[in-house]
Amino acid sequence: MSQQSCSADQLAQLFGPNTTNAQAAATLICDQFTAVSRNFTDTGYAIDNTYLLFSAYLVFSMQLGFAMLCAGSVRAKNTMNIMLTNVLDAAAGGIFYYLFGFAFAWGSPSNGFIGKHYFGLTDLHSDNLDYSNFLYQWAFAIAAAGITSGSIAERTQFVAYLIYSSFLTGFVYPVVSHWFWSPDGWASAFKKSDLLLSTGVIDFAGSGVVHMVGGVAGLWGALIEGPRIGRFDHAGRAVALRGHSASLVVLGTFMLWFGWYGFNPGSFNKILVAYDSGNKYGQWSAVGRTAVTTTLAGSTAALTTLFGKRLISGHWNVTDVCNGLLGGFAAITAGCSVVEPWAAIVCGFVASLVLIACNKLAEMARFDDPLEAAQLHGGCGAWGVLFTALFAKKEYVLQVYQGDQSRPHGLFMGGGWSLLGAHVIQILVIVGWVSATMGPLFWGLKKLKLLRISSEDELAGMDLTRHGGFAYAYEDDETHKHGIQLRKVEPNASTPTTDGGL
């Protein structure tokens, strides 16, 4: 909110000739006006900051959703393990994003590749950044790490989780977010000049930046580890290793749905922005529209998955519907602020088909992802990036990203091919960057025998062998107080041989 100014000299000239000490009166009036104007400005900052903090809290609540979704999607014998990894994604991510990640992502002034300031939040305060921005962006970073943890669930050593999560949140993800979200990023739509293909990449809340990064990282982790024991039979046919609790899956899905209203609408960062002063339509309206497009895309994807999977399998499967819903959310995240509600329905419909197709390809390739995270976030995220390049509306693009009337927008909305070209580049560079960083990391962990647990531990379940007991107590602890004995796990423990491993 801009602060209004008052000139005592100019105001004094407006008083009549009979005014006693016009200059003093004008100065008094201007002082009062300036004080009121500053109060309004301060109030505007407070409203925007509170909005961003509340959005950060919503996005952080998605960690509970991830934890419940993951817990319900794995077998009971690995519940404690997967929940602990979700806790540590947030904790380790908090430290490493504070030390390095935020600086690499947002440290300005910088070059187009990586940020160079604000390490450890040093000298953070600027016209555009404050502590609330750090909290919000940290919540995004740990969401990317949470996606990857689902892909490698039920067979990964605990130390591997700590290493990859710290590396992803402290370096890999921040560099990508700098490219596409920082005003200094080489492909950012927020740059003042020299935009990529005259448009930059419109990835508003991160179908590519968050979901593709997490999905591609999970893809490499799962490929290098190989499938879980028993996931495919000797003939290569898929064997369902169903999660132990549909109730937790549904609970986690609703928590994620709730948090997505901070993820997408919150990405405006500010709400008190008038597009046309004196008009009831402003950024607060765009925030509402973004929540609507988010809802419609997820709802459409859920219904499409419901009937699509019914035709394929003959069942009404609640887990499939939940994954379809989340696939619609992942897809709309890029274009949620710049498309019409009807376009969001198209987005959700296609996202469901993309997820079903990716799951089929994964099964054919003997690729095992217990939460379908690589297919859901990687595949549907990529579709969301392309969708935005097709359906972004000119009016909304100019409101959110500003620029002149010639700025490119969606191809199907009459905006030409430039935006689509920029978004194809985004998909390629994200796949290339994450593959070049996370692929060697997972490969190195495998060579050091730090990636996968032993066959014995995998069959018994990590809750028993690594975490002191099962997540669920089926009998009184007194009856089993001598029944569980922990043993030391050596780094060179044998790892299972699978045809699906690399």
Side-chain angles (χ1 to χ4, degrees):
M1 178 183 293
S2 60
Q3 183 172 312
Q4 302 300 314
S5 62
C6 176
S7 171
D9 291 336
Q10 294 177 351
L11 181 61
Q13 297 175 9
L14 301 178
F15 291 126
N18 297 323
T19 303
T20 302
N21 203 345
Q23 185 65 37
T27 300
L28 177 63
I29 293 173
C30 277
D31 287 345
Q32 295 297 317
F33 177 84
T34 301
V36 172
S37 178
R38 286 175 177 170
N39 286 336
F40 275 116
T41 301
D42 294 344
T43 300
Y45 287 139
I47 290 173
D48 287 335
N49 202 56
T50 301
Y51 174 73
L52 185 58
L53 281 172
F54 181 72
S55 298
Y57 305 150
L58 285 176
V59 178
F60 180 70
S61 73
M62 296 175 77
Q63 289 301 117
L64 174 59
F66 279 127
M68 295 299 99
L69 180 68
C70 290
S73 299
V74 301
R75 289 164 289 180
K77 62 184 180 179
N78 295 309
T79 305
M80 190 180 298
N81 172 265
I82 196 65
M83 288 195 292
L84 182 57
T85 62
N86 276 271
V87 172
L88 289 181
D89 279 338
I95 298 300
F96 280 86
Y97 198 72
Y98 161 75
L99 293 174
F100 309 108
F102 189 78
F104 289 149
W106 299 97
S108 181
S110 63
N111 56 52
F113 178 77
I114 194 169
K116 300 186 294 184
H117 301 279
Y118 310 143
F119 291 98
L121 301 186
T122 303
D123 300 324
L124 173 62
H125 296 289
S126 69
D127 292 338
N128 298 314
L129 294 176
D130 205 342
Y131 291 113
S132 55
N133 297 94
F134 166 79
L135 195 72
Y136 188 68
Q137 296 301 328
W138 159 72
F140 270 60
I142 60 176
I147 292 168
T148 306
S149 67
S151 296
I152 57 178
E154 295 203 284
R155 64 224 195 253
T156 305
Q157 290 192 48
F158 194 66
V159 66
Y161 280 113
L162 286 174
I163 293 172
Y164 98 77
S165 180
S166 301
F167 185 59
L168 184 65
T169 55
F171 180 67
V172 178
Y173 165 80
V175 170
V176 177
S177 61
H178 180 81
W179 293 349
F180 301 112
W181 286 344
S182 169
D184 297 326
W186 63 270
S188 173
F190 294 102
K191 287 182 69 176
K192 300 300 182 183
S193 60
D194 299 324
L195 291 167
L196 176 66
L197 301 183
S198 300
T199 175
V201 170
I202 298 177
D203 187 2
F204 183 70
S207 289
V209 174
V210 179
H211 295 283
M212 279 194 67
V213 167
V216 174
L219 172 69
W220 281 107
L223 277 175
I224 291 172
E225 272 198 296
R228 292 165 291 173
I229 296 174
R231 179 66 177 90
F232 298 95
D233 63 19
H234 294 294
R237 294 185 296 265
V239 177
L241 300 179
R242 298 192 181 280
H244 79 282
S245 175
S247 300
L248 289 178
V249 170
V250 172
L251 174 61
T253 300
F254 273 113
M255 284 300 304
L256 289 169
W257 189 340
F258 179 67
W260 234 291
Y261 291 126
F263 205 96
N264 287 0
S267 290
F268 280 97
N269 289 343
K270 299 179 180 180
I271 191 171
L272 198 59
V273 178
Y275 294 148
D276 184 11
S277 183
N279 193 311
K280 68 176 183 179
Y281 183 73
Q283 193 143 290
W284 48 87
S285 300
V287 166
R289 184 184 67 246
T290 300
V292 170
T293 57
T294 300
T295 302
L296 291 176
S299 299
T300 303
L303 292 174
T304 305
T305 305
L306 174 69
F307 292 104
K309 295 294 287 188
R310 173 76 166 103
L311 292 174
I312 294 172
S313 66
H315 302 290
W316 306 102
N317 191 307
V318 66
T319 303
D320 289 335
V321 172
C322 288
N323 282 338
L325 176 82
L326 298 177
F329 287 152
I332 195 60
T333 298
C336 54
S337 66
V338 294
V339 300
E340 292 279 14
W342 63 263
I345 295 176
V346 176
C347 177
F349 178 79
V350 177
S352 172
L353 303 182
V354 168
L355 179 58
I356 292 173
C358 286
N359 283 333
K360 186 62 177 178
L361 288 174
E363 185 176 306
M364 294 170 59
R366 301 183 66 185
F367 173 78
D368 181 23
D369 183 330
L371 274 88
E372 302 177 5
Q375 303 94 294
L376 192 160
H377 297 277
C380 294
W383 155 241
V385 170
L386 296 176
F387 160 79
T388 305
L390 300 176
F391 289 95
K393 186 176 179 179
K394 180 178 181 179
E395 175 188 356
Y396 301 154
V397 171
L398 293 178
Q399 288 173 355
V400 177
Y401 294 94
Q402 302 178 357
D404 57 42
Q405 293 293 319
S406 63
R407 182 162 190 157
H409 49 285
L411 175 64
F412 292 167
M413 309 300 286
W417 293 86
S418 295
L419 187 59
L420 181 59
H423 283 213
V424 170
I425 292 173
Q426 182 194 19
I427 291 174
L428 294 176
V429 297
I430 287 178
V431 172
W433 169 253
V434 179
S435 299
T437 51
M438 297 302 294
L441 176 67
F442 283 121
W443 182 260
L445 290 173
K446 179 179 180 180
K447 289 299 183 181
L448 293 171
K449 300 187 183 301
L450 295 175
L451 184 59
R452 187 158 183 161
I453 60 175
S454 66
S455 301
E456 177 188 7
D457 287 354
E458 185 174 344
L459 291 171
M462 284 185 282
D463 286 2
L464 179 62
T465 61
R466 302 288 174 119
H467 301 290
F470 295 114
Y472 304 102
Y474 296 102
E475 298 182 45
D476 194 321
D477 288 343
E478 287 297 317
T479 63
H480 288 286
K481 64 181 180 181
H482 300 298
I484 297 175
Q485 294 184 359
L486 300 182
R487 59 182 177 79
K488 182 178 180 181
V489 179
E490 300 294 340
N492 61 351
S494 63
T495 56
T497 301
T498 62
D499 294 335
L502 295 182

